[in-house]
Amino acid sequence: MSRNTTMKGLALVAVIGLGLTACTSSSSSTSGSSSNAAGGSAAGKTLVIEDNPEPSFANDFNPLVSTSASSTENTDSLVYEPLFMINSINATEAPIPWLAKSYAWSNGNKTLTLSLQQGVKWSDGKPFSSADVAFTFNLLQKFPAANTGGVPATTSITTPDANTVVMNFADPESANFVGIANQMILPQHLWASVANPATAVIPASQAIGTGPYLVDSFGTQDITYKVNPSYWGTKPKVPKISLPAYATNDAATLALASGDVDLTGNDIANVQSVFVAKDPAHNHLFQTTAPYYPAGNTVSLLLNNKSPNAPALADVKVRQAISAGVDRASLASQCETDYEAPATSSGGVTLPTDAGALDASLSNDLQSSADTSKVTSLLQADGYTKSGGKWTKGGKTIKFTIIDPNSFADYWCDAKAIASGLDAQGFDVSANGGFTGDTWGTAVTNGNFDATLHWGQGSTTFQRLQFILDPSSTAAVGQPASGDLERYSSPAATAAVTAYENATTPAAETTALNSLQQLMSTDVPAVPVLYGAAWYQYSSLNYTGWPTSTNPYISPAPNSQGYEYIILHLTPVS
């Protein structure tokens, strides 16, 4: 399972999105066999992308609406571009200049100055300028529902000249730069008349951006893009892109296996035999050995520190014992079919993505199998004794329920296996899969749960840790929280988050990140379990230049900015 989000300003978006995302990663559809099977030179081949199963498309290309056709298919950035590209699978890589060529923080990280590319034009011929950037960010502040990317609020924005933007914030915001960098910029001369950008329907004919492509044609069963002849950057070598509509994952997988799709990001069972083996010379994954996919997040067992039904979870020693009792290797092989590797660091970072930020003292400190002797040692020291095969203190067992929708096949398998394994070691654990994605999301965000297996969120090491550890993002049980869903409360965590946000040097950032990892390791508000897969399959039959484990130039998981970056790196096969 993989999920892409940003933190801090994400707030309500994260709350709403929890119940909408299923365990199987988004996939798509393409009946593009006629496109790629057609004769002609490789330079004339249509690139077929299958990104999200949809029975049909609606004519809406609003990049601020998560349900628009372009947003669900992750093609917004083909038209509307961000200020910077972010390679989320390389935590140490600097932002890649795009519409902005450089940036600088000042005033204690409360002022951000952006220098923009020169000579950029909108696809209707109008010049792009700093006024468009300022307009876009002011628009998000005026219409918070349109702020789907976690952009922090500004106190003011000025444009000293056509190529410079100065953004001022009430608090230090360098830690939330990704939300700013990823924001797709809109043309002021067109969007100023849009009454409500959070709900507006933008048809294909009005999709005007700075990007390398234009919407060529819209159909309810297929959307095509063509090259923008006035694109400011290097001209794309992919002349046309097609996104056909597939109603189901099965239909999309069949098309992929048949060679009708060039790029997709699906959770495919038996991917080696179903896809790779069909054409080993051309059908590829991110890497040739398990887990096959890049790690996009840390899947954790969230332990509700404030659950009224499971008071034992408020005990740090109990949480440490639960972590010691989880058989991660078994979950990886039996429930995740080796697509997701067992977590190896108790610090909670995503590896190997965050390897450059890993606190060395926490490297490989998690045992892959259940450590029953450590469970016994921790609980005995905490005053527990075995009674009737269960760890008991004060006449009470360590009783809690793990909830995950049984429709989330892999997570439900994980939840049942964790409950069974812990129960056999003397905990009193059950699993409940009687939830839909929506009801589960509501229960988790409102704190009405004991424990749940949940994917991580964030595009940077800090954001991934912040999602678990930042008490400012939590809420009382019964109220929706945007982060810290396990209701963890820690002045030390608050101090470490603040220290990172105020950091002005790499050394200060490292110190703060190490503090957060140590807190995750010792307090265990959530148990790191697996490294969530970023699904990605591609064919090299028609194009080369794809990101791989040996050339991880961008995250290949389904995301709009990443897809633009990948497509611009592709070269037709001779």
Side-chain angles (χ1 to χ4, degrees), residues 26 102 160 204 319 364 373 466 478 497 539 567:
S26 68
S102 65
R319 299 197 299 267
N364 294 311
S373 62
Q466 184 187 27
V497 168
S539 169
I567 292 168

Side-chain angles (χ1 to χ4, degrees), residues 271-272 285-295 332-333 336-342 352 531 533 549:
V271 69
Q272 287 290 339
L285 308 175
F286 187 69
Q287 60 193 49
T288 58
T289 57
Y292 306 120
Y293 303 106
S333 62
E336 303 296 341
T337 60
D338 291 321
Y339 293 174
E340 299 186 340
Y531 295 131
S549 59

